[in-house]
Amino acid sequence: MSQKTILIAGLGLIGGSLARAIKLGHTDYHVSAYNRSQAPRDFAIQEKIVDEVSDDFAALAVKADVIILNFPVQLSIDFLKKLATLPLKENVLISDSGSTKTEIVAAAETIFAGKSARFIGGHPMAGSHKTGVIASDELLFENAYYILTPSTLSEPKDLAELKDILSNTRAKFVELSPKDHDAMTAVTSHFPHVVAASLVNNAHDFAQLMPFTENLAAGGFRDMTRIAESSPDMWAEILMSNPDNIIYQIDQFSQKLAQIKQLIVQRQSAEIWDFFDQARKLRSLMPIHKGALENFYDLFISVPDKSDVIHEVLGYFAGHNLSIINIKINETRVEINGVLQITFKTEQDQKTAEHLIKENSDYDVYK
Amino acid sequence: MSQKTILIAGLGLIGGSLARAIKLGHTDYHVSAYNRSQAPRDFAIQEKIVDEVSDDFAALAVKADVIILNFPVQLSIDFLKKLATLPLKENVLISDSGSTKTEIVAAAETIFAGKSARFIGGHPMAGSHKTGVIASDELLFENAYYILTPSTLSEPKDLAELKDILSNTRAKFVELSPKDHDAMTAVTSHFPHVVAASLVNNAHDFAQLMPFTENLAAGGFRDMTRIAESSPDMWAEILMSNPDNIIYQIDQFSQKLAQIKQLIVQRQSAEIWDFFDQARKLRSLMPIHKGALENFYDLFISVPDKSDVIHEVLGYFAGHNLSIINIKINETRVEINGVLQITFKTEQDQKTAEHLIKENSDYDVYK
C-alpha cells in the first residue's frame, strides 16, 4: 500500500468523520484538510484528526493524490472548477460527499473532460443531529450505505482504490448510477422531507382556526415531522439539485392522495381497509426493520412515572457490561411506545437486559 | 363519595386500563365488565382488574350507574341502540372511548332523545404497541390528553362527575365539541396516518422499477412511516367515521404540494428555502417538544468509558426527585473520556444534578 496524501476539503461532521476513518485505516497516509474558518482547523489539528490544515485550498490540492469535497453540491462544483485550473497531480482521484449525484457528476465530466483527473461521486448516507468537526466520529458511517457513482472519468480499479481508502469507515459500499441514486433518494429522503415540512405548515395553518390543534400534535405526528427541523439551507439546495425526481414524486403521491380521497368520498370501506392493510404488510417486509442506517437495539419498559426509576432499572444491569447508547423517557402517554426506552448497541445486550428486567421486576418489557 | 357500579363494556387495552384506573381511585366502586369472548373476562377477574364479568351485556347494563363503551365507533353505536331498549337506571351516565366523536355523539343524541340517560363522548389519547386486556395498565393515560365531548344529553355537573370517576387515570382532561375534536384529530392524527400509508405504498410502487429503493428507506423515512403498521381495521373505521375532515385535509395538503411543485418547476430557490425555514421554525415552537428530546436542560459529564457509569451517576441523584428526560452516551473514544449527556426537564433539576455530581465525583461537568 503506497503512502498517499488525502485532502479533505470542508471540515464539518462528514469531512471530519471521513478524515478520522481514513487515518485510522491508513496510519501511513498524510491527511490534510482545507477549511475556510479557523476553529475547525484548530480543533482538527489539536485532536490529531488530520496531519495538516490550511485555508489555502490550492496549496493543499496540488499536493494531493486524493481530494474529497465535503460541501453543498453547488459549492463542490465551484471547487471542481477551481481544481481544473490548478496543476494537480497526474491522475488525482476526486470524490465528494454530497446528497445528490447527477448534477455534480455531470459537472465533473464537463469540467475535467480530456484531463487526467479521475472522478467518482460519493454519498455516505449517515448523519447525526449534531454538526461540525467537533461531533465527527470515525464510526459515523459504520454499517451505513456509502453510495459510489462512477463517471466517464473513472474505471472499476478507481472504485476499488477509493473503497480501500475509505475501508475503515466500515460502511456498506454500493455502486449506483447518479441517475438511479437521485431517483431513489427522492423517494426515500427528499420527497419525505417535503412531506414533513408540509405537514407542519399544514397543521400550523389549521391551528390559526383552532389553536388547540397544536396540543394534539404528538405521537405519530411528532415522529412524522421530526425531520422538518432540518437545515433549510441543505434542503432547499437538495430540491434545486434534484428537481425532476422530486416533482415526479409529488405527482405520484398527489395521485395516491386523490385515489384515497375518492375512496373516502364514495365510502368504499373495503378498499380503504385494503389501502391500510397493504401499507402495513409492505412496511413490515421492508429492510427498514433491520436498521439499515442505525444498528441500534431498543427495549421499551413500562415503568411508573416516578423519580429514580431509571436508576432502579440500570441497577438490574449492574455488572453485566451492557453497552447502552441512549435512554429516553417517553413522558407523555400519547407516545405509542412504552415509557422508558433504552437503546443498546448489540442484540445480545438487548436480550440480556430484557432477561434481567423480567427477572428483577414485574415491569412489562417489549421490543 | 357514593358507591357506584361502573360497567366497562369491551375488555381490551383501553377498557382494561380504564377499569384498573377507576378501581385504583375508587376502591368502593363496583366495577363490572362485559366482553363477548371469555379469555379477557377470565384474565380480568383473575387479576382483580374488575369485580364482576359477564357476556350478558343487558344483565350488567341494567345494574350500572355508569357505562363506558370501548369499541370501534360503529359497534359502540350498536350498543347505544341496545341500551335504549333496556330498563336502565335513572340518569345512567354513558360514555365511550372511540377515536372520533361527532358520529357517536349525534347517534347518542338521537337514540336517547327524551330519555333520562346522560351521554358524554370520551377519547383518551393514549395507546401502546401491545393490545388486549393483558397489556392494560392503570398508568396508560397518565399525562395524556383525555378529550371529553359534552352533548345535549349532558350538563357541566355530569362532566365533573365523569372526571371524578376517571381521576385516577391521571390524564389531562380537555373539553371539546365533537366537531372540533374531529377536525383537529384529522390534522394531527387521521390525515398523517393516510400520509404514512401512502408513503409506504408509494415507495413500494417505485421499488418495482428500482428494487434497491427499499434498502435506502431508513432514518427519516422510517420515522415517518412507523404508524403505517397500525391496524387497518381501526384506521379504515376512523376514515369512514371522519370523512369530511380528512377529505378537507387531503385537499389542503394537495394544494401545499402543488405550491411547492410550482416553486421547484420555477426554480424559486429563495421561496423553497422559506418553505423549509417556516416549517423548521413552526415545529420548534410547537408544544410537541414538551417531553421530547429536542430541548430542555442538558448536562454533559465527562465520564470514563466503563460499564455501569450511568448507574453510578444516577445514584448521586437518588432521592432528589430529579426529572430526567433523556440520557445519552456521546461516542466514547479511546483517548478521550466519554461524555454522558443527561437532559433535565427544568433548570432547577439541571443545577441540582450539577451540584450532586461535583459533590460526589471528580467528573468534569459542563452545560
PDB file of all heavy atoms in Angstrom, chain A residues 137 205 225 229 233 256 261 273 283 289 308 319 327 329 331 333, chain B residues 142 205 225 229 233 256 273 283 289 308 319 324 326-327 333 345:
ATOM      1  N   ASP A 137     -16.696  11.562  13.961  1.00  0.00           N
ATOM      2  CA  ASP A 137     -16.642  10.249  14.590  1.00  0.00           C
ATOM      3  C   ASP A 137     -16.250   9.245  13.519  1.00  0.00           C
ATOM      4  O   ASP A 137     -16.924   9.144  12.489  1.00  0.00           O
ATOM      5  CB  ASP A 137     -18.056   9.959  15.118  1.00  0.00           C
ATOM      6  CG  ASP A 137     -18.179   8.589  15.750  1.00  0.00           C
ATOM      7  OD1 ASP A 137     -17.202   7.824  15.713  1.00  0.00           O
ATOM      8  OD2 ASP A 137     -19.264   8.302  16.275  1.00  0.00           O
ATOM      9  N   ASP A 205     -51.259  26.150   9.766  1.00  0.00           N
ATOM     10  CA  ASP A 205     -52.354  26.891   9.116  1.00  0.00           C
ATOM     11  C   ASP A 205     -53.681  26.568   9.794  1.00  0.00           C
ATOM     12  O   ASP A 205     -54.478  27.450  10.077  1.00  0.00           O
ATOM     13  CB  ASP A 205     -52.456  26.516   7.628  1.00  0.00           C
ATOM     14  CG  ASP A 205     -51.321  27.127   6.821  1.00  0.00           C
ATOM     15  OD1 ASP A 205     -50.532  27.902   7.396  1.00  0.00           O
ATOM     16  OD2 ASP A 205     -51.227  26.823   5.617  1.00  0.00           O
ATOM     17  N   THR A 225     -42.811  14.448  11.688  1.00  0.00           N
ATOM     18  CA  THR A 225     -42.355  15.805  11.365  1.00  0.00           C
ATOM     19  C   THR A 225     -40.991  16.129  11.958  1.00  0.00           C
ATOM     20  O   THR A 225     -40.526  17.253  11.827  1.00  0.00           O
ATOM     21  CB  THR A 225     -43.379  16.848  11.866  1.00  0.00           C
ATOM     22  OG1 THR A 225     -43.536  16.701  13.278  1.00  0.00           O
ATOM     23  CG2 THR A 225     -44.707  16.686  11.178  1.00  0.00           C
ATOM     24  N   GLU A 229     -37.350  19.802  11.043  1.00  0.00           N
ATOM     25  CA  GLU A 229     -36.452  20.761  11.697  1.00  0.00           C
ATOM     26  C   GLU A 229     -35.035  20.725  11.118  1.00  0.00           C
ATOM     27  O   GLU A 229     -34.110  21.290  11.679  1.00  0.00           O
ATOM     28  CB  GLU A 229     -36.448  20.532  13.206  1.00  0.00           C
ATOM     29  CG  GLU A 229     -37.761  20.988  13.832  1.00  0.00           C
ATOM     30  CD  GLU A 229     -37.680  21.197  15.336  1.00  0.00           C
ATOM     31  OE1 GLU A 229     -36.662  21.701  15.830  1.00  0.00           O
ATOM     32  OE2 GLU A 229     -38.657  20.850  16.015  1.00  0.00           O
ATOM     33  N   ASP A 233     -31.155  25.419   4.524  1.00  0.00           N
ATOM     34  CA  ASP A 233     -30.089  25.587   3.523  1.00  0.00           C
ATOM     35  C   ASP A 233     -29.877  24.286   2.757  1.00  0.00           C
ATOM     36  O   ASP A 233     -29.865  24.250   1.527  1.00  0.00           O
ATOM     37  CB  ASP A 233     -28.755  25.940   4.204  1.00  0.00           C
ATOM     38  CG  ASP A 233     -28.794  27.316   4.855  1.00  0.00           C
ATOM     39  OD1 ASP A 233     -29.675  28.115   4.478  1.00  0.00           O
ATOM     40  OD2 ASP A 233     -27.962  27.574   5.729  1.00  0.00           O
ATOM     41  N   LYS A 256     -51.891   9.402  -5.441  1.00  0.00           N
ATOM     42  CA  LYS A 256     -52.277   8.456  -4.379  1.00  0.00           C
ATOM     43  C   LYS A 256     -53.285   9.113  -3.433  1.00  0.00           C
ATOM     44  O   LYS A 256     -54.270   8.493  -3.035  1.00  0.00           O
ATOM     45  CB  LYS A 256     -51.047   8.023  -3.585  1.00  0.00           C
ATOM     46  CG  LYS A 256     -50.167   7.048  -4.324  1.00  0.00           C
ATOM     47  CD  LYS A 256     -49.723   5.921  -3.413  1.00  0.00           C
ATOM     48  CE  LYS A 256     -49.428   4.662  -4.212  1.00  0.00           C
ATOM     49  NZ  LYS A 256     -48.776   4.910  -5.513  1.00  0.00           N
ATOM     50  N   LYS A 261     -58.796   9.828  -1.495  1.00  0.00           N
ATOM     51  CA  LYS A 261     -59.919  10.769  -1.338  1.00  0.00           C
ATOM     52  C   LYS A 261     -61.174  10.210  -2.006  1.00  0.00           C
ATOM     53  O   LYS A 261     -62.265  10.234  -1.420  1.00  0.00           O
ATOM     54  CB  LYS A 261     -59.554  12.127  -1.937  1.00  0.00           C
ATOM     55  CG  LYS A 261     -60.704  13.135  -1.884  1.00  0.00           C
ATOM     56  CD  LYS A 261     -60.359  14.459  -2.549  1.00  0.00           C
ATOM     57  CE  LYS A 261     -61.630  15.282  -2.778  1.00  0.00           C
ATOM     58  NZ  LYS A 261     -61.339  16.611  -3.346  1.00  0.00           N
ATOM     59  N   TRP A 273     -59.715  -0.224   3.717  1.00  0.00           N
ATOM     60  CA  TRP A 273     -59.062  -1.247   4.544  1.00  0.00           C
ATOM     61  C   TRP A 273     -57.875  -1.841   3.784  1.00  0.00           C
ATOM     62  O   TRP A 273     -56.778  -1.993   4.333  1.00  0.00           O
ATOM     63  CB  TRP A 273     -60.077  -2.341   4.918  1.00  0.00           C
ATOM     64  CG  TRP A 273     -59.561  -3.292   5.962  1.00  0.00           C
ATOM     65  CD1 TRP A 273     -59.709  -3.179   7.310  1.00  0.00           C
ATOM     66  CD2 TRP A 273     -58.797  -4.488   5.739  1.00  0.00           C
ATOM     67  NE1 TRP A 273     -59.086  -4.223   7.943  1.00  0.00           N
ATOM     68  CE2 TRP A 273     -58.528  -5.044   7.002  1.00  0.00           C
ATOM     69  CE3 TRP A 273     -58.326  -5.143   4.601  1.00  0.00           C
ATOM     70  CZ2 TRP A 273     -57.806  -6.224   7.170  1.00  0.00           C
ATOM     71  CZ3 TRP A 273     -57.587  -6.323   4.761  1.00  0.00           C
ATOM     72  CH2 TRP A 273     -57.338  -6.855   6.033  1.00  0.00           C
ATOM     73  N   ARG A 283     -44.730  -2.402   4.719  1.00  0.00           N
ATOM     74  CA  ARG A 283     -43.716  -1.849   5.619  1.00  0.00           C
ATOM     75  C   ARG A 283     -43.085  -2.927   6.468  1.00  0.00           C
ATOM     76  O   ARG A 283     -41.880  -2.917   6.729  1.00  0.00           O
ATOM     77  CB  ARG A 283     -44.300  -0.756   6.517  1.00  0.00           C
ATOM     78  CG  ARG A 283     -43.187  -0.017   7.253  1.00  0.00           C
ATOM     79  CD  ARG A 283     -43.678   1.080   8.134  1.00  0.00           C
ATOM     80  NE  ARG A 283     -42.585   1.870   8.677  1.00  0.00           N
ATOM     81  CZ  ARG A 283     -41.852   1.509   9.715  1.00  0.00           C
ATOM     82  NH1 ARG A 283     -42.077   0.371  10.333  1.00  0.00           N
ATOM     83  NH2 ARG A 283     -40.873   2.290  10.153  1.00  0.00           N
ATOM     84  N   HIS A 289     -36.541  -2.503   8.912  1.00  0.00           N
ATOM     85  CA  HIS A 289     -36.563  -3.054  10.269  1.00  0.00           C
ATOM     86  C   HIS A 289     -35.211  -3.566  10.720  1.00  0.00           C
ATOM     87  O   HIS A 289     -34.996  -3.815  11.883  1.00  0.00           O
ATOM     88  CB  HIS A 289     -37.595  -4.172  10.372  1.00  0.00           C
ATOM     89  CG  HIS A 289     -38.994  -3.668  10.252  1.00  0.00           C
ATOM     90  ND1 HIS A 289     -39.657  -3.147  11.319  1.00  0.00           N
ATOM     91  CD2 HIS A 289     -39.809  -3.550   9.200  1.00  0.00           C
ATOM     92  CE1 HIS A 289     -40.859  -2.748  10.931  1.00  0.00           C
ATOM     93  NE2 HIS A 289     -40.967  -2.977   9.649  1.00  0.00           N
ATOM     94  N   ASP A 308     -36.128   8.328  39.977  1.00  0.00           N
ATOM     95  CA  ASP A 308     -35.147   7.276  40.249  1.00  0.00           C
ATOM     96  C   ASP A 308     -35.481   5.926  39.622  1.00  0.00           C
ATOM     97  O   ASP A 308     -34.793   4.943  39.887  1.00  0.00           O
ATOM     98  CB  ASP A 308     -34.939   7.085  41.764  1.00  0.00           C
ATOM     99  CG  ASP A 308     -34.393   8.356  42.408  1.00  0.00           C
ATOM    100  OD1 ASP A 308     -33.698   9.109  41.702  1.00  0.00           O
ATOM    101  OD2 ASP A 308     -34.678   8.584  43.589  1.00  0.00           O
ATOM    102  N   GLY A 319     -22.944  -4.772  36.522  1.00  0.00           N
ATOM    103  CA  GLY A 319     -22.008  -5.877  36.436  1.00  0.00           C
ATOM    104  C   GLY A 319     -22.140  -6.713  35.179  1.00  0.00           C
ATOM    105  O   GLY A 319     -21.374  -7.643  34.959  1.00  0.00           O
ATOM    106  N   ILE A 327     -30.939   6.541  26.501  1.00  0.00           N
ATOM    107  CA  ILE A 327     -32.054   6.262  27.404  1.00  0.00           C
ATOM    108  C   ILE A 327     -33.046   7.402  27.283  1.00  0.00           C
ATOM    109  O   ILE A 327     -32.668   8.564  27.347  1.00  0.00           O
ATOM    110  CB  ILE A 327     -31.579   6.161  28.868  1.00  0.00           C
ATOM    111  CG1 ILE A 327     -30.561   5.029  29.018  1.00  0.00           C
ATOM    112  CG2 ILE A 327     -32.766   5.940  29.804  1.00  0.00           C
ATOM    113  CD1 ILE A 327     -29.927   4.975  30.406  1.00  0.00           C
ATOM    114  N   ILE A 329     -37.047   8.866  28.279  1.00  0.00           N
ATOM    115  CA  ILE A 329     -38.339   8.702  28.937  1.00  0.00           C
ATOM    116  C   ILE A 329     -39.391   9.281  28.011  1.00  0.00           C
ATOM    117  O   ILE A 329     -39.381  10.472  27.724  1.00  0.00           O
ATOM    118  CB  ILE A 329     -38.377   9.423  30.289  1.00  0.00           C
ATOM    119  CG1 ILE A 329     -37.304   8.845  31.204  1.00  0.00           C
ATOM    120  CG2 ILE A 329     -39.754   9.275  30.921  1.00  0.00           C
ATOM    121  CD1 ILE A 329     -37.288   9.496  32.559  1.00  0.00           C
ATOM    122  N   GLU A 331     -42.330  10.731  27.883  1.00  0.00           N
ATOM    123  CA  GLU A 331     -43.026  11.291  29.029  1.00  0.00           C
ATOM    124  C   GLU A 331     -44.535  11.219  28.905  1.00  0.00           C
ATOM    125  O   GLU A 331     -45.234  10.819  29.820  1.00  0.00           O
ATOM    126  CB  GLU A 331     -42.591  12.731  29.233  1.00  0.00           C
ATOM    127  CG  GLU A 331     -43.095  13.304  30.530  1.00  0.00           C
ATOM    128  CD  GLU A 331     -43.173  14.794  30.460  1.00  0.00           C
ATOM    129  OE1 GLU A 331     -43.185  15.336  29.348  1.00  0.00           O
ATOM    130  OE2 GLU A 331     -43.244  15.419  31.514  1.00  0.00           O
ATOM    131  N   ARG A 333     -48.041   9.854  27.570  1.00  0.00           N
ATOM    132  CA  ARG A 333     -48.526   8.543  27.167  1.00  0.00           C
ATOM    133  C   ARG A 333     -49.161   8.568  25.785  1.00  0.00           C
ATOM    134  O   ARG A 333     -49.673   7.571  25.317  1.00  0.00           O
ATOM    135  CB  ARG A 333     -49.532   8.015  28.196  1.00  0.00           C
ATOM    136  CG  ARG A 333     -48.992   8.009  29.595  1.00  0.00           C
ATOM    137  CD  ARG A 333     -48.145   6.773  29.832  1.00  0.00           C
ATOM    138  NE  ARG A 333     -47.435   6.900  31.097  1.00  0.00           N
ATOM    139  CZ  ARG A 333     -46.946   5.879  31.774  1.00  0.00           C
ATOM    140  NH1 ARG A 333     -47.070   4.679  31.326  1.00  0.00           N
ATOM    141  NH2 ARG A 333     -46.312   6.080  32.898  1.00  0.00           N
TER     142      ARG A 333
ATOM    143  N   GLU B 142     -51.733   8.294  31.916  1.00  0.00           N
ATOM    144  CA  GLU B 142     -51.094   9.317  32.742  1.00  0.00           C
ATOM    145  C   GLU B 142     -50.487  10.420  31.860  1.00  0.00           C
ATOM    146  O   GLU B 142     -49.699  10.131  30.947  1.00  0.00           O
ATOM    147  CB  GLU B 142     -49.994   8.672  33.582  1.00  0.00           C
ATOM    148  CG  GLU B 142     -49.394   9.625  34.603  1.00  0.00           C
ATOM    149  CD  GLU B 142     -48.302   8.956  35.435  1.00  0.00           C
ATOM    150  OE1 GLU B 142     -47.694   7.998  34.956  1.00  0.00           O
ATOM    151  OE2 GLU B 142     -48.085   9.416  36.567  1.00  0.00           O
ATOM    152  N   ASP B 205     -44.283   1.030  -4.801  1.00  0.00           N
ATOM    153  CA  ASP B 205     -44.533   1.132  -6.250  1.00  0.00           C
ATOM    154  C   ASP B 205     -43.243   1.478  -6.980  1.00  0.00           C
ATOM    155  O   ASP B 205     -42.920   0.893  -8.017  1.00  0.00           O
ATOM    156  CB  ASP B 205     -45.572   2.222  -6.548  1.00  0.00           C
ATOM    157  CG  ASP B 205     -46.978   1.783  -6.162  1.00  0.00           C
ATOM    158  OD1 ASP B 205     -47.139   0.615  -5.754  1.00  0.00           O
ATOM    159  OD2 ASP B 205     -47.902   2.609  -6.254  1.00  0.00           O
ATOM    160  N   THR B 225     -42.952   6.581   8.620  1.00  0.00           N
ATOM    161  CA  THR B 225     -43.874   5.521   8.208  1.00  0.00           C
ATOM    162  C   THR B 225     -44.159   4.522   9.322  1.00  0.00           C
ATOM    163  O   THR B 225     -44.842   3.535   9.096  1.00  0.00           O
ATOM    164  CB  THR B 225     -43.312   4.763   6.979  1.00  0.00           C
ATOM    165  OG1 THR B 225     -42.034   4.225   7.327  1.00  0.00           O
ATOM    166  CG2 THR B 225     -43.182   5.688   5.790  1.00  0.00           C
ATOM    167  N   GLU B 229     -47.847   0.869  10.137  1.00  0.00           N
ATOM    168  CA  GLU B 229     -48.058  -0.521  10.555  1.00  0.00           C
ATOM    169  C   GLU B 229     -49.209  -0.661  11.560  1.00  0.00           C
ATOM    170  O   GLU B 229     -49.376  -1.714  12.166  1.00  0.00           O
ATOM    171  CB  GLU B 229     -46.754  -1.110  11.106  1.00  0.00           C
ATOM    172  CG  GLU B 229     -45.742  -1.352   9.991  1.00  0.00           C
ATOM    173  CD  GLU B 229     -44.612  -2.304  10.384  1.00  0.00           C
ATOM    174  OE1 GLU B 229     -44.866  -3.302  11.074  1.00  0.00           O
ATOM    175  OE2 GLU B 229     -43.475  -2.025   9.977  1.00  0.00           O
ATOM    176  N   ASP B 233     -57.991  -2.277  10.460  1.00  0.00           N
ATOM    177  CA  ASP B 233     -59.380  -2.258  10.959  1.00  0.00           C
ATOM    178  C   ASP B 233     -59.683  -0.898  11.577  1.00  0.00           C
ATOM    179  O   ASP B 233     -60.678  -0.243  11.262  1.00  0.00           O
ATOM    180  CB  ASP B 233     -59.585  -3.323  12.054  1.00  0.00           C
ATOM    181  CG  ASP B 233     -59.486  -4.729  11.510  1.00  0.00           C
ATOM    182  OD1 ASP B 233     -59.615  -4.899  10.276  1.00  0.00           O
ATOM    183  OD2 ASP B 233     -59.261  -5.656  12.311  1.00  0.00           O
ATOM    184  N   LYS B 256     -50.827  22.319  -0.908  1.00  0.00           N
ATOM    185  CA  LYS B 256     -49.475  22.653  -0.459  1.00  0.00           C
ATOM    186  C   LYS B 256     -48.431  21.972  -1.352  1.00  0.00           C
ATOM    187  O   LYS B 256     -47.426  22.579  -1.724  1.00  0.00           O
ATOM    188  CB  LYS B 256     -49.274  22.204   0.993  1.00  0.00           C
ATOM    189  CG  LYS B 256     -49.970  23.078   2.002  1.00  0.00           C
ATOM    190  CD  LYS B 256     -49.077  23.372   3.191  1.00  0.00           C
ATOM    191  CE  LYS B 256     -49.483  24.666   3.877  1.00  0.00           C
ATOM    192  NZ  LYS B 256     -50.931  24.913   3.913  1.00  0.00           N
ATOM    193  N   TRP B 273     -36.473  27.805   0.173  1.00  0.00           N
ATOM    194  CA  TRP B 273     -35.790  27.972   1.459  1.00  0.00           C
ATOM    195  C   TRP B 273     -36.782  28.453   2.517  1.00  0.00           C
ATOM    196  O   TRP B 273     -36.816  27.924   3.641  1.00  0.00           O
ATOM    197  CB  TRP B 273     -34.640  28.978   1.311  1.00  0.00           C
ATOM    198  CG  TRP B 273     -33.730  29.030   2.499  1.00  0.00           C
ATOM    199  CD1 TRP B 273     -32.604  28.286   2.700  1.00  0.00           C
ATOM    200  CD2 TRP B 273     -33.894  29.849   3.671  1.00  0.00           C
ATOM    201  NE1 TRP B 273     -32.044  28.596   3.917  1.00  0.00           N
ATOM    202  CE2 TRP B 273     -32.806  29.545   4.541  1.00  0.00           C
ATOM    203  CE3 TRP B 273     -34.830  30.801   4.079  1.00  0.00           C
ATOM    204  CZ2 TRP B 273     -32.645  30.168   5.782  1.00  0.00           C
ATOM    205  CZ3 TRP B 273     -34.674  31.419   5.321  1.00  0.00           C
ATOM    206  CH2 TRP B 273     -33.592  31.099   6.156  1.00  0.00           C
ATOM    207  N   ARG B 283     -42.201  24.177  13.753  1.00  0.00           N
ATOM    208  CA  ARG B 283     -42.136  22.957  14.544  1.00  0.00           C
ATOM    209  C   ARG B 283     -41.394  23.184  15.859  1.00  0.00           C
ATOM    210  O   ARG B 283     -41.766  22.640  16.900  1.00  0.00           O
ATOM    211  CB  ARG B 283     -41.476  21.818  13.772  1.00  0.00           C
ATOM    212  CG  ARG B 283     -41.646  20.488  14.509  1.00  0.00           C
ATOM    213  CD  ARG B 283     -41.031  19.328  13.789  1.00  0.00           C
ATOM    214  NE  ARG B 283     -41.384  18.066  14.422  1.00  0.00           N
ATOM    215  CZ  ARG B 283     -40.786  17.568  15.505  1.00  0.00           C
ATOM    216  NH1 ARG B 283     -39.823  18.240  16.089  1.00  0.00           N
ATOM    217  NH2 ARG B 283     -41.160  16.413  16.020  1.00  0.00           N
ATOM    218  N   HIS B 289     -42.663  19.625  21.641  1.00  0.00           N
ATOM    219  CA  HIS B 289     -41.353  19.444  22.253  1.00  0.00           C
ATOM    220  C   HIS B 289     -41.422  19.158  23.731  1.00  0.00           C
ATOM    221  O   HIS B 289     -40.447  18.739  24.321  1.00  0.00           O
ATOM    222  CB  HIS B 289     -40.489  20.690  22.025  1.00  0.00           C
ATOM    223  CG  HIS B 289     -40.094  20.825  20.605  1.00  0.00           C
ATOM    224  ND1 HIS B 289     -39.069  20.110  20.068  1.00  0.00           N
ATOM    225  CD2 HIS B 289     -40.614  21.554  19.599  1.00  0.00           C
ATOM    226  CE1 HIS B 289     -38.960  20.407  18.792  1.00  0.00           C
ATOM    227  NE2 HIS B 289     -39.886  21.283  18.487  1.00  0.00           N
ATOM    228  N   ASP B 308     -21.693   0.537  33.540  1.00  0.00           N
ATOM    229  CA  ASP B 308     -22.395   0.921  34.771  1.00  0.00           C
ATOM    230  C   ASP B 308     -22.124   2.355  35.226  1.00  0.00           C
ATOM    231  O   ASP B 308     -22.545   2.737  36.314  1.00  0.00           O
ATOM    232  CB  ASP B 308     -22.071  -0.040  35.932  1.00  0.00           C
ATOM    233  CG  ASP B 308     -22.504  -1.464  35.603  1.00  0.00           C
ATOM    234  OD1 ASP B 308     -23.472  -1.612  34.819  1.00  0.00           O
ATOM    235  OD2 ASP B 308     -21.892  -2.405  36.101  1.00  0.00           O
ATOM    236  N   GLY B 319     -33.165   9.978  45.348  1.00  0.00           N
ATOM    237  CA  GLY B 319     -33.874  10.660  46.413  1.00  0.00           C
ATOM    238  C   GLY B 319     -34.058  12.144  46.189  1.00  0.00           C
ATOM    239  O   GLY B 319     -34.693  12.819  46.991  1.00  0.00           O
ATOM    240  N   ILE B 324     -35.703  13.459  34.747  1.00  0.00           N
ATOM    241  CA  ILE B 324     -34.783  13.245  33.621  1.00  0.00           C
ATOM    242  C   ILE B 324     -35.577  12.896  32.374  1.00  0.00           C
ATOM    243  O   ILE B 324     -36.461  12.053  32.413  1.00  0.00           O
ATOM    244  CB  ILE B 324     -33.793  12.113  33.942  1.00  0.00           C
ATOM    245  CG1 ILE B 324     -32.893  12.531  35.106  1.00  0.00           C
ATOM    246  CG2 ILE B 324     -32.969  11.733  32.719  1.00  0.00           C
ATOM    247  CD1 ILE B 324     -32.039  11.405  35.643  1.00  0.00           C
ATOM    248  N   ASN B 326     -33.870  12.453  29.180  1.00  0.00           N
ATOM    249  CA  ASN B 326     -33.073  11.716  28.214  1.00  0.00           C
ATOM    250  C   ASN B 326     -31.654  11.531  28.728  1.00  0.00           C
ATOM    251  O   ASN B 326     -31.121  12.402  29.403  1.00  0.00           O
ATOM    252  CB  ASN B 326     -33.041  12.511  26.898  1.00  0.00           C
ATOM    253  CG  ASN B 326     -32.503  11.699  25.755  1.00  0.00           C
ATOM    254  OD1 ASN B 326     -32.871  10.545  25.576  1.00  0.00           O
ATOM    255  ND2 ASN B 326     -31.614  12.293  24.986  1.00  0.00           N
ATOM    256  N   ILE B 327     -31.077  10.392  28.391  1.00  0.00           N
ATOM    257  CA  ILE B 327     -29.685  10.123  28.762  1.00  0.00           C
ATOM    258  C   ILE B 327     -28.981   9.556  27.545  1.00  0.00           C
ATOM    259  O   ILE B 327     -29.497   8.651  26.890  1.00  0.00           O
ATOM    260  CB  ILE B 327     -29.597   9.100  29.910  1.00  0.00           C
ATOM    261  CG1 ILE B 327     -30.334   9.624  31.137  1.00  0.00           C
ATOM    262  CG2 ILE B 327     -28.145   8.788  30.235  1.00  0.00           C
ATOM    263  CD1 ILE B 327     -30.422   8.608  32.253  1.00  0.00           C
ATOM    264  N   ARG B 333     -14.472   7.548  23.141  1.00  0.00           N
ATOM    265  CA  ARG B 333     -13.266   7.441  22.324  1.00  0.00           C
ATOM    266  C   ARG B 333     -12.110   6.929  23.130  1.00  0.00           C
ATOM    267  O   ARG B 333     -12.051   7.128  24.348  1.00  0.00           O
ATOM    268  CB  ARG B 333     -12.902   8.815  21.741  1.00  0.00           C
ATOM    269  CG  ARG B 333     -13.813   9.270  20.677  1.00  0.00           C
ATOM    270  CD  ARG B 333     -13.645   8.400  19.427  1.00  0.00           C
ATOM    271  NE  ARG B 333     -14.906   8.217  18.773  1.00  0.00           N
ATOM    272  CZ  ARG B 333     -15.674   7.166  18.914  1.00  0.00           C
ATOM    273  NH1 ARG B 333     -15.314   6.174  19.679  1.00  0.00           N
ATOM    274  NH2 ARG B 333     -16.813   7.063  18.299  1.00  0.00           N
ATOM    275  N   LYS B 345     -35.747  18.213  32.785  1.00  0.00           N
ATOM    276  CA  LYS B 345     -36.959  18.934  32.443  1.00  0.00           C
ATOM    277  C   LYS B 345     -36.886  20.392  32.874  1.00  0.00           C
ATOM    278  O   LYS B 345     -37.469  21.252  32.250  1.00  0.00           O
ATOM    279  CB  LYS B 345     -38.128  18.246  33.142  1.00  0.00           C
ATOM    280  CG  LYS B 345     -39.466  18.441  32.527  1.00  0.00           C
ATOM    281  CD  LYS B 345     -40.352  17.347  33.077  1.00  0.00           C
ATOM    282  CE  LYS B 345     -41.781  17.490  32.738  1.00  0.00           C
ATOM    283  NZ  LYS B 345     -42.519  16.327  33.256  1.00  0.00           N
TER     284      LYS B 345
END
